[in-house]
Amino acid sequence: MALYSEKVMEHFRNPRNVGVIEDADGVGEVGNAKCGDIMKMYLKIEDDVIQDVKFETFGCGSAIASSSMATEMIKGKPVSEAMQLTNAAVAEALDGLPAYKMHCSVLAEEAIKSALEDYRKKKEQS
Ligand code: FES
């Protein structure tokens, strides 16, 4: 059996939503101390709905595929729904990740949660 699913390879080769949102409403950056990979998420939110999402990932192929899939899963969704996104759901949508690569999908969940938290804080201040 191939180590990585077709979906993982496809999102790794053609990642969706790569880039930066200059006037983002929420930005989250997380890293994994063990592997040194870093992921940054940008959210554009209107009426509590995620209108746009972009990411920059300095990391392994699984982290890039996870970020790509995670952005697809939350785009157009209400904030409350995006908050529920789990790394297991991201890995499942990718048709699985090898066990020792599950932490890469955790990074995607954490980056989104961190960006949503940043959005919430900014909203409270305004
Ligand atoms: Fe660290 Fe994939 S090896 S995020």
Side-chain angles (χ1 to χ4, degrees):
M1 197 190 107
L3 192 53
Y4 294 108
S5 73
E6 265 309 305
K7 265 195 195 158
V8 171
M9 293 310 292
E10 208 276 312
H11 275 264
F12 167 59
R13 290 195 189 104
N14 304 298
R16 330 293 199 263
N17 307 309
V18 175
V20 175
I21 300 176
E22 293 297 345
D23 58 343
D25 299 302
V27 180
E29 185 174 334
V30 293
N32 182 295
K34 271 200 188 137
C35 64
D37 291 354
I38 296 167
M39 195 181 286
K40 198 164 178 179
M41 284 278 170
Y42 302 84
L43 301 174
K44 192 77 203 148
I45 299 172
E46 259 168 59
D47 297 327
D48 273 343
V49 172
I50 298 171
Q51 303 293 343
D52 200 10
V53 46
K54 295 247 186 283
F55 78 89
E56 293 176 304
T57 291
F58 181 80
C60 73
S62 299
I64 291 168
S66 296
S67 336
S68 170
M69 179 56 87
T71 56
E72 291 267 274
M73 290 170 87
I74 61 162
K75 207 170 183 175
K77 297 276 161 59
V79 166
S80 55
E81 219 174 289
M83 210 58 201
Q84 309 293 321
L85 184 74
T86 62
N87 79 295
V90 173
E92 199 184 312
L94 286 168
D95 290 339
L97 283 169
Y100 70 100
K101 284 285 177 181
M102 279 307 275
H103 79 271
C104 317
S105 62
V106 171
L107 221 48
E109 177 189 328
E110 287 176 353
I112 287 171
K113 294 222 161 99
S114 161
L116 287 169
E117 182 61 17
D118 182 48
Y119 164 70
R120 198 184 56 77
K121 274 193 204 139
K122 282 183 178 141
K123 215 171 108 175
E124 268 174 19
Q125 284 161 10
S126 62

